[in-house]
Amino acid sequence: MLSICLVIACDKGEQSVSIIDGDSLVEVVISTAEPTSESATRTQLLDSGEVRWSAGDIIRVWAKATNSNDYALAGQDFKFAGYNATYNSADFKTTLLANQMPDGNYKYGAVYPTPKSQNGVRVTYSLPSVQYGTYDPKLDVMTAQADGRALHTADATPDVIEWNEMPQPKLSFSHMFHLIRIRVPESKNLLGDPIKQLDIIFPYPVVGDVEFDATYPNNPASQKTYPNTSNKITVILPDNELLDANGRYVWLHIFPPLRAMTQNDELRIRALSKSGVISQEIKTSLNGKTFLGGHITPIALTIPQSDENAYKEITFSCPDNSSYPNFLGENATTMYVREWPAAFKPIKSQSATISSSGNGEFKVKFYYLNNEDYQFNTTSNGAQMTVAFDSANASVNHNNFTTTLPDFVSDTPAYYALPYLFFEDFVNTTKSFEYKSEHTGSDATEASSKMLNGEDSYLVGWSGGRVGLAAGKSLRIYSRAETGFWVVNRNTGRVDSKKMSRLNDNSTVVSTVVFDYSGGAYSGVNSDLGNPLITFGYTNISGSEETAIKVTDNISNIIIDSKSIENDYIGENAIYDVKHTFEYCKIANCSNKTRLSWSLSNSHGSQFGGNGSYWFYIDNIKVSIGGSVKHAGLEYRNFFPNHTN
């Protein structure tokens, strides 16, 4: 049974950069202590700098007779069995020998912990380039050599192996890697925000793989190989308060240098805060420093203020032109970032809501840096960013806009467009229907009004009577005329849109509406056909629930009154094409209770007999805040392909 005592040297004093000199050895002595229960814990590092064995620890041992080239123990695992008189001394045992060891003298080699890989007597360990600021026993590699007698089972117990002679030989472990301990003294975090990440760059490779002979681990450095190395460590701190001047430490595991440090060698550190702020770079000379294995370098780190040169401020602007139109009609006041570009990090990564700096402009700071030099790349490489906006009176952030970021060497803004307050082209409808809107031989009764989402689920909030829809195309309303003995009976059709729900609760604005339309008529007999007569306006509905407005109700606020519409189509077939655009229709007091209303009658002539059918087709309804509909001639879906109201 192997008994191990483990201590690591540590000086309590701290300077900006200080190397602790002195040896740090692990001693192995003979013991026959009974094993204790095992657990999944690992080797522990105490605040004093002392390292203790823990249940679950395993050392790997090689043994070769002095007069032989064959290994009696070829990487045999010994498992923690229990402590001795102190926690610094522990027993290790193995329950399986590769083969029996003949009596004689042996050379022993041992490593801790279990290596990443093993090829005969050569083992490989790895130090990761991303570490997490805590002491990790899996990274605290230790090696040992000793001369001693063969191991045999004790007291006829086959699962226990111990040294077979007294006095007991000594097996000494030494730490292969170096530890750096960082803390931030009180009031020395000048970023003023918890530190989330440290980027540390050394003048020589400090992490990666190291391969060596486990039986002669203390050979000169030339016997070690260092494949896949890096001189940069990124420390990610899961605990945001780990570097907040509260007496706790950040630990780094690094390779000792392969050469002496000179006056040109320096350590470079940058800190990244929880909210994405990058500190100025810290540079410290390493001239004469040794970073020996088994030693600790304490660093008292002052985190400097943010590095304004590490950021690029981009202005987001809506130029209100044909390339980036302001369909809404008023400036945005709030920008919401829906998706940050993958290659960029914002200075305020925890906040995706940004207030305007005025005139619909928004200032956003990014860092876009070379990992080694913290210099700006010259181009954004066409990186895209998805954003949405609100204005003083409207919440239209449900409609996203994707913009392309400009090159970082330019001062060109990132441009965006703003959606309409209300837009409907019926592209998103999926179910065609006719609700008393088709030509018929006789239908003298008025049609009742109903909510239209029962016909097509997309039309939530819409209502009407004598209404039809061609899915994905347009909507129509229908009016019927029946005459007898020169008396005309006219039945009207009506449709009301959903509310202008994107206006804020306390906002009442002037808004303007424009829409495309066509007219059509049909009569089965030679008669005075006449034309469709359209009335358009708006209705303000109190209460929170949408209601079906009666077909026979008057429109509360009339903008267009019984205007005769040209018959673009003569015939009973449903055409659902639009050919014209109405002039701008201004709404004086538009609120989130306002619904657009269309009512259709006809001018069928008085005659002895004869009936007529009249249709008014509606599409591309656009509503802007203000006295005009902005950019009505542009193809709106090119800017907001997924617009919803």
Side-chain angles (χ1 to χ4, degrees):
M1 185 172 293
L2 301 180
S3 176
I4 299 173
C5 176
L6 175 61
V7 179
I8 188 170
C10 179
D11 191 323
K12 293 183 179 179
E14 288 185 348
Q15 302 173 5
S16 295
V17 173
S18 175
I19 307 298
I20 296 175
D21 295 316
D23 293 332
S24 176
L25 299 178
V26 176
E27 292 186 352
V28 177
V29 297
I30 298 304
S31 174
T32 57
E34 293 296 324
T36 60
S37 60
E38 297 175 356
S39 69
T41 61
R42 305 296 298 167
T43 304
Q44 302 171 12
L45 178 68
L46 306 184
D47 290 339
S48 64
E50 178 185 355
V51 178
R52 290 180 175 178
W53 294 109
S54 294
D57 283 342
I58 296 174
I59 62 172
R60 185 163 292 183
V61 181
W62 286 256
K64 182 176 70 170
T66 55
N67 59 354
S68 173
N69 292 323
D70 297 325
Y71 283 89
L73 296 179
Q76 181 70 39
D77 285 346
F78 284 70
K79 208 168 190 180
F80 177 88
Y83 295 109
N84 289 320
T86 69
Y87 288 114
N88 297 342
S89 178
D91 296 332
F92 282 69
K93 72 174 185 179
T94 187
T95 57
L96 177 66
L97 275 179
N99 49 19
Q100 192 70 25
M101 299 178 70
D103 287 336
N105 294 317
Y106 284 80
K107 289 187 176 294
Y108 290 86
V111 294
Y112 170 87
T114 303
K116 174 184 175 181
S117 63
Q118 175 184 335
N119 183 11
V121 297
R122 296 195 67 80
V123 294
T124 300
Y125 287 92
S126 182
L127 288 183
S129 60
V130 177
Q131 299 184 22
Y132 296 92
T134 57
Y135 170 78
D136 187 344
K138 295 188 296 296
L139 305 182
D140 189 5
V141 178
M142 296 182 290
T143 63
Q145 291 175 272
D147 293 332
R149 300 289 293 175
L151 294 175
H152 291 283
T153 58
D155 300 327
T157 305
D159 62 345
V160 177
I161 301 165
E162 64 176 10
W163 299 99
N164 69 343
E165 287 188 358
M166 298 292 284
Q168 298 167 346
K170 183 179 290 186
L171 179 63
S172 296
F173 273 82
S174 61
H175 296 261
M176 175 172 287
F177 299 150
H178 187 81
L179 278 174
I180 292 179
R181 185 185 68 194
I182 300 173
R183 76 176 181 93
V184 177
E186 191 70 31
S187 303
K188 295 301 183 180
N189 180 0
L190 304 185
L191 278 182
D193 200 27
I195 303 304
K196 185 65 178 175
Q197 179 177 317
L198 294 174
D199 288 337
I200 304 174
I201 300 175
F202 291 79
Y204 68 93
V206 291
V207 291
D209 292 338
V210 57
E211 179 187 308
F212 58 90
D213 185 337
T215 62
Y216 295 97
N218 296 321
N219 277 357
S222 61
Q223 300 301 311
K224 297 183 176 70
T225 59
Y226 294 86
N228 307 316
T229 58
S230 172
N231 66 336
K232 179 181 177 181
I233 299 178
T234 296
V235 185
I236 298 174
L237 305 176
D239 182 349
N240 291 327
E241 297 182 355
L242 199 59
L243 270 179
D244 269 357
N246 58 359
R248 299 168 69 184
Y249 301 117
V250 170
W251 294 92
L252 303 182
H253 300 260
I254 67 169
F255 297 152
L258 303 181
R259 59 173 175 79
M261 296 293 100
T262 69
Q263 61 182 2
N264 296 323
D265 292 318
E266 55 186 13
L267 185 69
R268 300 162 55 196
I269 303 175
R270 280 187 188 263
L272 176 66
S273 79
K274 178 181 178 181
S275 60
V277 181
I278 301 175
S279 76
Q280 298 171 19
E281 187 174 60
I282 308 161
K283 293 183 179 180
T284 302
S285 174
L286 298 182
N287 187 27
K289 305 304 180 184
T290 57
F291 293 116
L292 297 177
H295 296 250
I296 296 175
T297 296
I299 297 178
L301 186 65
T302 296
I303 305 293
Q305 296 177 338
S306 63
D307 186 355
E308 292 303 315
N309 294 323
Y311 300 101
K312 172 66 175 180
E313 184 176 73
I314 294 180
T315 298
F316 287 72
S317 176
C318 178
D320 194 17
N321 55 29
S322 59
S323 297
Y324 299 94
N326 181 348
F327 295 108
L328 180 62
E330 67 178 11
N331 287 333
T333 56
T334 306
M335 183 172 81
Y336 304 92
V337 180
R338 301 304 190 207
E339 184 177 352
W340 296 102
F344 296 80
K345 290 185 182 296
I347 185 171
K348 292 292 183 183
S349 59
Q350 298 302 306
S351 176
T353 302
I354 304 164
S355 296
S356 174
S357 57
N359 299 318
E361 292 188 347
F362 300 86
K363 308 291 185 181
V364 182
K365 286 185 177 181
F366 295 92
Y367 69 87
Y368 189 61
L369 306 172
N370 181 296
N371 285 338
E372 298 299 330
D373 298 328
Y374 287 88
Q375 299 297 316
F376 286 116
N377 286 350
T378 58
T379 177
S380 65
N381 292 319
Q384 293 188 317
M385 181 167 159
T386 302
V387 292
F389 300 89
D390 284 342
S391 68
N393 291 294
S395 297
V396 291
N397 62 75
H398 60 298
N399 286 309
N400 296 334
F401 184 81
T402 299
T403 185
T404 300
L405 296 184
D407 286 347
F408 273 13
V409 294
S410 74
D411 292 324
T412 304
Y415 295 119
Y416 67 87
L418 287 172
Y420 280 120
L421 175 66
F422 182 93
F423 172 79
E424 190 54 73
D425 60 358
F426 305 102
V427 165
N428 293 326
T429 58
T430 58
K431 183 180 178 182
S432 299
F433 66 87
E434 299 289 348
Y435 172 49
K436 292 183 176 293
S437 60
E438 63 271 59
H439 173 74
T440 181
S442 177
D443 184 4
T445 60
E446 283 288 0
S448 60
S449 186
K450 67 178 182 179
M451 301 304 295
L452 298 182
N453 59 298
E455 299 288 348
D456 187 292
S457 59
Y458 174 77
L459 295 175
V460 173
W462 287 73
S463 67
R466 296 191 183 276
V467 180
L469 174 77
K473 195 169 185 182
S474 65
L475 179 144
R476 72 176 183 175
I477 49 179
Y478 172 67
S479 176
R480 172 79 176 171
E482 295 191 0
T483 61
F485 298 101
W486 295 275
V487 176
V488 182
N489 179 43
R490 306 180 201 278
N491 293 324
T492 58
R494 177 169 178 154
V495 70
D496 295 271
S497 75
K498 67 182 299 181
K499 297 176 184 178
M500 302 291 107
S501 59
R502 297 303 171 180
L503 285 170
N504 299 332
D505 286 341
N506 298 321
S507 293
T508 300
V509 299
V510 173
S511 66
T512 306
V513 184
V514 69
F515 54 90
D516 296 340
Y517 72 96
S518 286
Y522 176 71
S523 177
V525 297
N526 184 16
S527 61
D528 185 1
L529 183 60
N531 298 86
L533 301 177
I534 189 66
T535 298
F536 170 73
Y538 59 98
T539 304
N540 290 321
I541 302 297
S542 61
S544 59
E545 296 296 326
E546 303 285 7
T547 57
I549 303 173
K550 292 181 180 179
V551 172
T552 55
D553 284 355
N554 292 326
I555 295 175
S556 302
N557 302 277
I558 295 176
I559 300 173
I560 300 168
D561 191 6
S562 298
K563 181 179 177 63
S564 180
I565 302 300
E566 178 184 353
N567 289 323
D568 297 300
Y569 310 106
I570 302 296
E572 61 179 305
N573 295 326
I575 304 300
Y576 283 100
D577 288 330
V578 292
K579 293 187 175 183
H580 313 287
T581 300
F582 248 110
E583 297 299 324
Y584 297 163
C585 305
K586 187 176 294 184
I587 300 177
N589 57 339
C590 187
S591 73
N592 59 12
K593 306 297 183 184
T594 299
R595 298 175 68 179
L596 306 180
S597 302
W598 292 264
S599 179
L600 185 66
S601 185
N602 61 80
S603 61
H604 189 283
S606 174
Q607 58 190 43
F608 178 78
N611 303 325
S613 293
Y614 302 85
W615 294 276
F616 186 74
Y617 296 88
I618 306 169
D619 197 7
N620 298 320
I621 306 163
K622 304 167 184 176
V623 182
S624 293
I625 295 173
S628 65
V629 173
K630 304 297 291 292
H631 306 284
L634 295 178
E635 184 57 52
Y636 179 70
R637 290 282 181 184
N638 290 340
F639 301 92
F640 294 93
N642 301 311
H643 178 99
T644 59
N645 291 309

